[in-house]
Amino acid sequence: MDDVSRFPVPRREDLPEDLQARIAEVEEKSGFVPNVFLSLAHRPDEWRAFFAYHDALMDKETPGLTKADRELIVVATSAENHCLYCVVAHGAIARIRARNPRIADQVATDWRKAELDDRQRAILEIAVRLATQPWTVDAEHLESLRAHGLTDDDVWDVGSITAFFAMSNRLVHLTGTMPNDEFYLMGRVPRS
Amino acid sequence: MDDVSRFPVPRREDLPEDLQARIAEVEEKSGFVPNVFLSLAHRPDEWRAFFAYHDALMDKETPGLTKADRELIVVATSAENHCLYCVVAHGAIARIRARNPRIADQVATDWRKAELDDRQRAILEIAVRLATQPWTVDAEHLESLRAHGLTDDDVWDVGSITAFFAMSNRLVHLTGTMPNDEFYLMGRVPRS
Amino acid sequence: MDDVSRFPVPRREDLPEDLQARIAEVEEKSGFVPNVFLSLAHRPDEWRAFFAYHDALMDKETPGLTKADRELIVVATSAENHCLYCVVAHGAIARIRARNPRIADQVATDWRKAELDDRQRAILEIAVRLATQPWTVDAEHLESLRAHGLTDDDVWDVGSITAFFAMSNRLVHLTGTMPNDEFYLMGRVPRS
Amino acid sequence: MDDVSRFPVPRREDLPEDLQARIAEVEEKSGFVPNVFLSLAHRPDEWRAFFAYHDALMDKETPGLTKADRELIVVATSAENHCLYCVVAHGAIARIRARNPRIADQVATDWRKAELDDRQRAILEIAVRLATQPWTVDAEHLESLRAHGLTDDDVWDVGSITAFFAMSNRLVHLTGTMPNDEFYLMGRVPRS
Amino acid sequence: MDDVSRFPVPRREDLPEDLQARIAEVEEKSGFVPNVFLSLAHRPDEWRAFFAYHDALMDKETPGLTKADRELIVVATSAENHCLYCVVAHGAIARIRARNPRIADQVATDWRKAELDDRQRAILEIAVRLATQPWTVDAEHLESLRAHGLTDDDVWDVGSITAFFAMSNRLVHLTGTMPNDEFYLMGRVPRS
Amino acid sequence: MDDVSRFPVPRREDLPEDLQARIAEVEEKSGFVPNVFLSLAHRPDEWRAFFAYHDALMDKETPGLTKADRELIVVATSAENHCLYCVVAHGAIARIRARNPRIADQVATDWRKAELDDRQRAILEIAVRLATQPWTVDAEHLESLRAHGLTDDDVWDVGSITAFFAMSNRLVHLTGTMPNDEFYLMGRVPRS
């Protein structure tokens, strides 16, 4: 079970019921259990806080910040941190959400040249800055996003998603969790 | 209320009851409400996840990783991110927990020369690496901590505290939250 | 023809015959013309030198450095330079040559955690060092590759492929050439 | 023959005739054989591609980009890569072409303060950016050069010379080739 | 006497008389002898030059650059160099001179968010640039300070204080000198 | 008088007598007045401290650290700071002291490949580290120099010369002082 974690990974049947339930739900929806659901289960309280936080930020769609945009923030900032799990897993979701089979590879490698509109490019520019040099982000940077139609809440989300995955990337580097094989191909082949 | 956040800050009486209760509790214990309890209250669900995660990692004492050690990890890694709130607030707690009025300034400015033992220095070395170049942390680095008596759970905590404050530092840079004035002096003057 | 170059792109029928012939050959083999064959055709002499150099380094298979290994050097070093064209195009070839649909995404994002053996990891470590801090590569680094069974000629190739793509990455950033859509999916779906 | 290469260096009489001819020509013109003509001769096909590419870019003079300007691009970008051979050898040619015995040392150490005009300074700024952070070069940067009178072809040359020497610098770091003693003094003493 | 220096520290009574006199004077004024007065005494000639230079720059008050401003330059630039002695010792003086018990911790950790006015922020921006990337400071940067009311002499002082402490920080890292315990609390508790 | 300083440069006859005397002395010895003697004369007290410090460190020859070695420390560390004046002026002196017309260009561009012995290479490695990342220099680094025969005093000098020129480089970037034309050729042509 090397691919899941450098730390002990509990058996699913030994997990608290609420974790088992959520894991069963994601398994039913995706067809497999993303490894991070298992690697973090080593610590049920942290697991609960992690996914509660995640869902509060990612399961949301606003005119200024779509679900696809949110995933692209994850891909761009995780690429800066060389986080293989997050780039591959959230890259898969980004392809599906954006209905664009190229977008994740583009954003992971060079978001400046990716097939994005100006609003998206402005979002990624601030997100990457917050990921890599957070102390240089100032009120003007945030204001620049409002010029692209983002509300206060959208700006908060851009920043918080970046912050949350700054944590997530480091947890993955700590545990050494690898992406499930299924993620690599998701969203690449058009459904016929 | 400039010092608290660039984003709207809800009035305490408008907050959900569980937030009000926890805020009242920390106020009673500390004599004031640390600004981050108010700036994050803009989003109650995220607030709950944030403090649940925080408490799971920080309110713990083990032979291999004391409460003081945990605070020093926060100070060292937050200093790399130039996070004023975290350096000052957790620096205050670190001084108290370590019963050393100099330790926070030392660790914030140059942990390599701080009044630490070898175990602590090894911990901060890995924490700072995970904070700044997480992709270079490998199994050997983690193993080096076990040589200093840390258990698997302690190593997990070193990494997770670092990861959690990678998030926390960025949230503070997003909101522009300043440390409360009270923190600056805490733990500096010996109680008589 | 935005995707091909910021500079003028000659029509195929206006190109010198030797370029036309080689382009027709690659089109027949791949089913499309990789954009870089067209963007560089702006300058036929440079085009000829570029592909002559490329072929001398890449169309070669030795026990110490397979064709797949050569492509992985391109992917790893081009990722450091955020070169979208090279990561996507050579990632496609790497997947095919290595018969591993995950390897290119892994090496592009975090070669340290990719599914590689020790020899391959040592090769990528030196290649990335030569790509990013060439002045720190010394005789000992090169010697370390010989310990993994590389001959003098293999070591030369590791270095020269890295050097050649240091040029190639910058040419692509100059011209703004995007990868052809076909590359993104190549080598990902097992042939049935 | 330590100064020439860490790899085997073929005897001149064993080289293919076209290499021998070109080497004899450069020897007659310069009075000595620059070491890189010998170190790269280990691989005749690569040697041919290398010098064909080199000549296509460097043996050219346009109103927007003189031969001296081209050499200064080499000096400035090679200095960023700490490439001793290229800085010393092309520094020598730059002094001669620019008829300025100080210009190479200035550009190698601090091109911002060198005796250059605005056009030259703009060229070196883009070249150094392409050498060190190629992914940040965008259409606007290239446009800025046109404002200084460079044609499309001149801009291509600025970029391609930079790219070519990104390769060349790394080949030299690979082989460990030292500059010939003759280069150090060339162009420094006024002919009487 | 570990805290004073890695190098031999002469006994006060063995020092030249002028050093003894100045040390006695600072002791009388401060109540203790700052460690750097002893660590540098290993070399009396250098000691004399060091303190003569120091006094020429720091014991001065102009409308454009107060004594407090001068200390804040030291704190901000020494923090970039992780110089514990300079941050703690000059932080203490800065608190006293600025009559602000928070200002040193703020400037050391994140001067961008410190309680400063625009003039002070402009000064620290140039000082930090000169400390960390001196080659990028140009005439325009210096001119920007004049727009905030600094005279030519003030601008010289901003630059020279930064330069002097670039030296001082490195001397402290060489000798391993620790700040005296007294500095940590100075200027933090309001006099009643 | 653009080449001397961005700040006012006093006339020689208006300078204090001791400055005039020293300037006359250096002029007689060198045949010209190095620009830095004039640019710093804007501030006589600082001028005196600067040259007193300089002479205490540089006019010294020990078995473990020759005058040539001292100049090479200046060249290597000033090159990291892109300080044209110091590289060119002290490069000239280094060539003369080391009786090697190539050594300064080598050390300025890539000291790792310069014609140095192991002791010199170890010295430059520590000096460059102290110049660029002073907080990482520890007791072990200094100890490594003792293994090459340096005394405690030699080690102090390696560090102090580096520190002094960290200041000097920044003063030159502040004033914009250019090297005198004479320096470029000094020590390059063998006396006949």
Side-chain angles (χ1 to χ4, degrees):
Chain A
M1 213 155 192
D2 231 13
D3 273 10
V4 176
S5 182
R6 286 168 182 149
F7 292 84
V9 179
R11 292 185 306 175
R12 279 174 70 177
E13 59 268 33
D14 296 339
L15 290 175
E17 272 187 36
D18 59 325
L19 275 66
Q20 289 199 35
R22 172 75 188 271
I23 289 172
E25 186 190 2
V26 74
E27 185 177 31
E28 196 180 321
K29 196 174 149 194
S30 316
F32 62 95
V33 182
N35 285 335
V36 83
F37 281 83
L38 300 176
S39 66
L40 295 183
H42 181 55
R43 291 278 183 86
D45 284 346
E46 297 163 31
W47 189 103
R48 289 182 190 105
F50 182 91
F51 287 104
Y53 216 136
H54 174 276
D55 296 351
L57 294 169
M58 301 300 287
D59 284 351
K60 210 191 281 188
E61 172 100 18
T62 66
L65 199 68
T66 66
K67 285 192 175 178
D69 295 338
R70 292 166 201 262
E71 297 296 334
L72 292 177
I73 292 172
V74 181
V75 174
T77 61
S78 299
E80 293 287 342
N81 286 327
H82 303 277
C83 181
L84 181 61
Y85 185 91
C86 297
V87 167
V88 171
H90 288 272
I93 310 177
R95 283 189 294 270
I96 293 170
R97 294 264 154 91
R99 295 169 198 273
N100 180 336
R102 297 171 304 280
I103 197 66
D105 294 349
Q106 291 174 354
V107 166
T109 305
D110 186 5
W111 60 268
R112 286 169 182 83
K113 297 196 184 63
E115 301 169 18
L116 301 168
D117 60 30
D118 285 353
R119 184 186 55 85
Q120 289 174 312
R121 215 174 301 278
I123 289 169
L124 294 190
E125 189 172 346
I126 303 300
V128 165
R129 179 182 284 270
L130 187 64
T132 58
Q133 301 188 291
W135 56 92
T136 69
V137 173
D138 60 27
E140 255 178 272
H141 290 119
L142 303 181
E143 202 53 43
S144 79
L145 294 182
R146 293 189 183 96
H148 285 286
L150 278 75
T151 64
D152 244 35
D153 269 313
D154 293 334
V155 176
W156 176 286
D157 283 348
V158 169
S160 295
I161 291 167
T162 302
F164 180 81
F165 281 91
M167 173 172 71
S168 186
N169 293 171
R170 283 163 178 84
L171 289 173
V172 168
H173 280 301
L174 174 70
T175 57
T177 307
M178 294 289 280
N180 306 56
D181 287 3
E182 289 86 347
F183 282 124
Y184 291 86
L185 194 58
M186 275 171 61
R188 293 189 183 273
V189 189
R191 306 192 185 179
S192 55
Chain B
M1 212 157 193
D2 232 14
D3 274 10
V4 176
S5 181
R6 288 169 180 148
F7 293 84
V9 178
R11 293 185 305 176
R12 279 174 69 178
E13 57 269 33
D14 297 339
L15 289 174
E17 272 187 34
D18 59 325
L19 275 67
Q20 289 199 34
R22 172 73 188 271
I23 289 173
E25 187 190 2
V26 74
E27 187 177 31
E28 197 180 316
K29 196 174 149 194
S30 316
F32 63 96
V33 182
N35 285 335
V36 83
F37 281 83
L38 300 176
S39 67
L40 296 183
H42 181 53
R43 292 277 183 86
D45 284 347
E46 298 163 29
W47 190 102
R48 287 182 191 106
F50 183 92
F51 287 105
Y53 216 137
H54 175 277
D55 296 351
L57 294 169
M58 301 300 288
D59 286 350
K60 210 193 279 188
E61 173 100 17
T62 64
L65 199 67
T66 67
K67 285 190 175 180
D69 295 337
R70 290 166 203 263
E71 298 296 332
L72 292 177
I73 292 171
V74 181
V75 173
T77 60
S78 299
E80 293 287 342
N81 286 326
H82 303 278
C83 182
L84 181 61
Y85 184 90
C86 298
V87 167
V88 172
H90 287 273
I93 310 177
R95 284 189 293 270
I96 293 170
R97 294 266 156 89
R99 297 168 196 270
N100 179 337
R102 296 171 304 280
I103 196 68
D105 295 349
Q106 292 173 354
V107 166
T109 304
D110 187 5
W111 60 267
R112 286 170 181 82
K113 298 198 182 62
E115 302 169 17
L116 300 168
D117 60 31
D118 284 353
R119 184 187 54 87
Q120 290 174 311
R121 213 174 301 278
I123 289 169
L124 294 189
E125 188 171 348
I126 302 299
V128 165
R129 179 181 283 271
L130 188 64
T132 58
Q133 302 188 292
W135 56 92
T136 68
V137 173
D138 59 28
E140 255 178 274
H141 290 119
L142 304 181
E143 202 53 45
S144 79
L145 294 182
R146 292 189 185 97
H148 285 285
L150 278 77
T151 64
D152 243 33
D153 270 312
D154 293 333
V155 175
W156 177 285
D157 284 348
V158 169
S160 293
I161 292 168
T162 301
F164 180 82
F165 281 91
M167 172 173 70
S168 185
N169 293 171
R170 283 162 181 84
L171 290 173
V172 167
H173 281 301
L174 173 71
T175 57
T177 307
M178 293 288 281
N180 306 56
D181 287 3
E182 288 86 346
F183 281 124
Y184 290 87
L185 195 57
M186 275 171 60
R188 293 191 182 274
V189 190
R191 305 190 187 182
S192 54
Chain C
M1 215 156 190
D2 232 11
D3 274 12
V4 176
S5 180
R6 288 167 179 148
F7 293 82
V9 179
R11 291 184 308 175
R12 280 173 70 177
E13 58 269 34
D14 297 340
L15 290 174
E17 269 185 39
D18 59 325
L19 277 66
Q20 289 199 34
R22 171 74 189 271
I23 288 173
E25 186 191 2
V26 75
E27 186 177 31
E28 197 181 319
K29 195 175 151 194
S30 316
F32 63 95
V33 182
N35 285 334
V36 83
F37 281 82
L38 300 176
S39 66
L40 296 183
H42 181 53
R43 292 277 182 88
D45 284 346
E46 298 164 29
W47 189 102
R48 287 183 191 106
F50 182 91
F51 288 105
Y53 216 136
H54 174 277
D55 296 351
L57 295 169
M58 301 299 287
D59 285 351
K60 208 192 281 188
E61 172 101 17
T62 64
L65 198 68
T66 66
K67 285 191 175 180
D69 296 337
R70 291 166 202 262
E71 297 296 333
L72 292 177
I73 292 172
V74 181
V75 174
T77 61
S78 299
E80 294 287 341
N81 286 328
H82 304 278
C83 181
L84 181 61
Y85 185 91
C86 298
V87 167
V88 171
H90 288 272
I93 310 177
R95 283 190 293 272
I96 292 169
R97 294 266 154 88
R99 296 168 196 270
N100 179 338
R102 297 172 304 279
I103 195 68
D105 295 348
Q106 292 173 355
V107 166
T109 305
D110 186 5
W111 60 268
R112 286 170 181 83
K113 296 195 183 65
E115 302 169 17
L116 300 168
D117 59 32
D118 285 353
R119 184 186 53 87
Q120 290 174 311
R121 215 175 300 280
I123 289 169
L124 294 189
E125 189 171 347
I126 302 301
V128 166
R129 178 181 284 273
L130 187 64
T132 59
Q133 303 188 290
W135 56 92
T136 69
V137 173
D138 58 28
E140 254 177 274
H141 290 118
L142 303 182
E143 202 53 46
S144 78
L145 294 182
R146 292 189 184 98
H148 285 285
L150 279 75
T151 63
D152 244 33
D153 269 312
D154 293 333
V155 175
W156 177 285
D157 283 347
V158 170
S160 293
I161 292 167
T162 300
F164 180 81
F165 282 91
M167 173 173 70
S168 186
N169 294 171
R170 283 162 179 85
L171 290 173
V172 168
H173 281 301
L174 173 71
T175 56
T177 307
M178 294 288 281
N180 305 56
D181 288 3
E182 288 85 346
F183 282 124
Y184 290 87
L185 194 58
M186 274 170 61
R188 293 189 181 274
V189 189
R191 306 193 184 177
S192 53
Chain D
M1 213 156 191
D2 231 14
D3 274 10
V4 176
S5 180
R6 288 168 181 148
F7 292 83
V9 179
R11 292 184 304 175
R12 279 173 71 177
E13 59 268 32
D14 297 338
L15 289 175
E17 271 186 36
D18 59 326
L19 276 67
Q20 289 199 34
R22 171 75 188 269
I23 289 172
E25 186 190 3
V26 74
E27 186 176 32
E28 197 182 318
K29 196 174 151 194
S30 315
F32 62 95
V33 182
N35 285 335
V36 82
F37 281 83
L38 301 177
S39 66
L40 296 183
H42 180 55
R43 291 276 184 90
D45 284 345
E46 298 163 30
W47 190 102
R48 288 182 190 107
F50 182 91
F51 287 104
Y53 216 137
H54 174 277
D55 296 351
L57 295 169
M58 301 300 288
D59 284 352
K60 210 192 280 187
E61 172 101 17
T62 66
L65 198 67
T66 66
K67 285 191 175 178
D69 296 338
R70 291 165 203 263
E71 297 297 333
L72 292 176
I73 292 172
V74 181
V75 174
T77 61
S78 300
E80 293 287 342
N81 286 328
H82 303 278
C83 182
L84 180 61
Y85 184 91
C86 297
V87 167
V88 171
H90 288 272
I93 309 177
R95 284 189 294 271
I96 292 170
R97 295 265 154 89
R99 295 168 197 272
N100 179 337
R102 296 172 303 280
I103 196 67
D105 295 349
Q106 292 174 353
V107 166
T109 305
D110 186 5
W111 60 268
R112 287 170 182 81
K113 298 198 182 63
E115 301 169 19
L116 300 168
D117 60 31
D118 286 353
R119 184 186 54 86
Q120 290 174 312
R121 215 173 301 277
I123 289 168
L124 294 189
E125 188 171 347
I126 302 300
V128 166
R129 178 181 284 271
L130 188 63
T132 58
Q133 303 188 289
W135 55 92
T136 70
V137 173
D138 58 28
E140 256 178 272
H141 290 119
L142 303 182
E143 202 53 45
S144 78
L145 294 182
R146 293 189 183 96
H148 284 286
L150 278 76
T151 63
D152 244 35
D153 269 313
D154 293 334
V155 175
W156 177 285
D157 283 347
V158 169
S160 294
I161 292 168
T162 301
F164 180 81
F165 282 91
M167 172 172 72
S168 186
N169 293 171
R170 283 162 180 85
L171 290 173
V172 168
H173 281 302
L174 174 70
T175 56
T177 307
M178 293 288 281
N180 306 56
D181 287 3
E182 288 86 345
F183 282 124
Y184 291 87
L185 194 57
M186 275 171 61
R188 294 190 181 274
V189 189
R191 305 191 187 181
S192 53
Chain E
M1 214 159 189
D2 231 14
D3 274 10
V4 176
S5 181
R6 288 169 181 147
F7 292 84
V9 179
R11 291 184 307 174
R12 280 174 69 177
E13 59 268 34
D14 297 340
L15 290 174
E17 272 187 35
D18 59 325
L19 275 67
Q20 289 199 34
R22 171 75 188 270
I23 288 173
E25 186 190 2
V26 75
E27 185 177 31
E28 196 180 320
K29 196 173 150 195
S30 316
F32 63 96
V33 182
N35 285 335
V36 82
F37 281 83
L38 301 176
S39 67
L40 297 184
H42 180 54
R43 291 278 183 88
D45 284 346
E46 298 164 29
W47 190 102
R48 288 182 190 105
F50 183 92
F51 287 104
Y53 216 136
H54 175 276
D55 296 351
L57 295 169
M58 301 299 288
D59 286 350
K60 208 191 282 188
E61 172 101 17
T62 65
L65 199 68
T66 66
K67 285 191 175 179
D69 296 338
R70 290 165 202 264
E71 298 295 333
L72 292 177
I73 292 172
V74 181
V75 173
T77 60
S78 299
E80 293 288 341
N81 286 327
H82 303 279
C83 181
L84 181 61
Y85 184 90
C86 298
V87 167
V88 171
H90 288 272
I93 310 177
R95 284 190 294 270
I96 292 169
R97 294 264 154 92
R99 296 169 196 272
N100 179 336
R102 295 172 304 282
I103 196 66
D105 295 349
Q106 291 174 355
V107 166
T109 305
D110 187 5
W111 61 268
R112 287 171 183 82
K113 298 197 181 64
E115 302 169 18
L116 300 168
D117 60 31
D118 285 353
R119 184 186 54 86
Q120 290 174 312
R121 213 174 302 278
I123 289 168
L124 294 189
E125 189 171 345
I126 302 300
V128 165
R129 179 182 285 270
L130 188 63
T132 58
Q133 302 189 290
W135 55 93
T136 70
V137 173
D138 59 27
E140 257 178 89
H141 290 119
L142 304 181
E143 202 51 45
S144 79
L145 294 182
R146 294 190 183 96
H148 285 285
L150 278 76
T151 63
D152 244 34
D153 270 313
D154 294 333
V155 175
W156 178 285
D157 283 348
V158 170
S160 293
I161 292 168
T162 301
F164 181 81
F165 282 90
M167 172 173 71
S168 185
N169 295 170
R170 283 162 180 84
L171 290 173
V172 168
H173 280 302
L174 173 71
T175 56
T177 307
M178 293 289 281
N180 306 56
D181 288 3
E182 289 86 346
F183 281 124
Y184 291 87
L185 194 58
M186 275 172 61
R188 294 190 181 272
V189 190
R191 304 190 186 182
S192 55
Chain F
M1 213 154 192
D2 232 13
D3 273 11
V4 176
S5 181
R6 290 168 178 147
F7 292 84
V9 178
R11 292 185 305 176
R12 279 175 69 177
E13 57 268 33
D14 296 340
L15 289 175
E17 270 187 39
D18 59 325
L19 274 67
Q20 288 199 35
R22 172 74 188 270
I23 289 172
E25 185 190 3
V26 74
E27 187 176 30
E28 197 180 317
K29 196 173 151 194
S30 316
F32 62 95
V33 182
N35 286 334
V36 82
F37 282 82
L38 300 176
S39 67
L40 296 183
H42 181 53
R43 293 276 183 87
D45 285 346
E46 298 163 29
W47 189 103
R48 288 182 190 105
F50 183 91
F51 287 104
Y53 215 137
H54 175 277
D55 296 351
L57 295 169
M58 301 300 287
D59 285 351
K60 209 192 280 186
E61 173 100 16
T62 64
L65 199 68
T66 67
K67 285 191 175 180
D69 296 337
R70 291 166 202 261
E71 297 297 332
L72 292 177
I73 292 172
V74 181
V75 174
T77 61
S78 299
E80 293 287 341
N81 287 327
H82 303 278
C83 181
L84 181 61
Y85 185 90
C86 298
V87 167
V88 172
H90 288 273
I93 310 176
R95 283 189 294 271
I96 292 169
R97 294 266 154 90
R99 296 167 196 271
N100 178 338
R102 296 171 305 279
I103 196 66
D105 295 349
Q106 292 175 352
V107 166
T109 305
D110 187 5
W111 60 268
R112 287 171 181 82
K113 297 196 182 65
E115 302 169 17
L116 300 168
D117 60 31
D118 285 353
R119 184 186 53 88
Q120 289 174 312
R121 214 175 302 278
I123 289 168
L124 294 189
E125 188 171 347
I126 302 300
V128 166
R129 179 181 283 271
L130 188 63
T132 58
Q133 303 188 291
W135 56 92
T136 69
V137 173
D138 58 28
E140 254 177 273
H141 291 119
L142 304 181
E143 202 52 46
S144 79
L145 294 181
R146 294 190 183 97
H148 284 286
L150 279 75
T151 64
D152 244 33
D153 269 312
D154 293 333
V155 175
W156 176 286
D157 283 348
V158 169
S160 294
I161 291 168
T162 300
F164 181 81
F165 282 90
M167 173 172 69
S168 185
N169 293 171
R170 284 162 180 84
L171 290 173
V172 168
H173 281 301
L174 173 71
T175 56
T177 307
M178 293 289 281
N180 306 56
D181 288 3
E182 288 85 346
F183 282 124
Y184 291 86
L185 195 58
M186 275 173 60
R188 292 189 183 274
V189 189
R191 306 190 186 182
S192 53

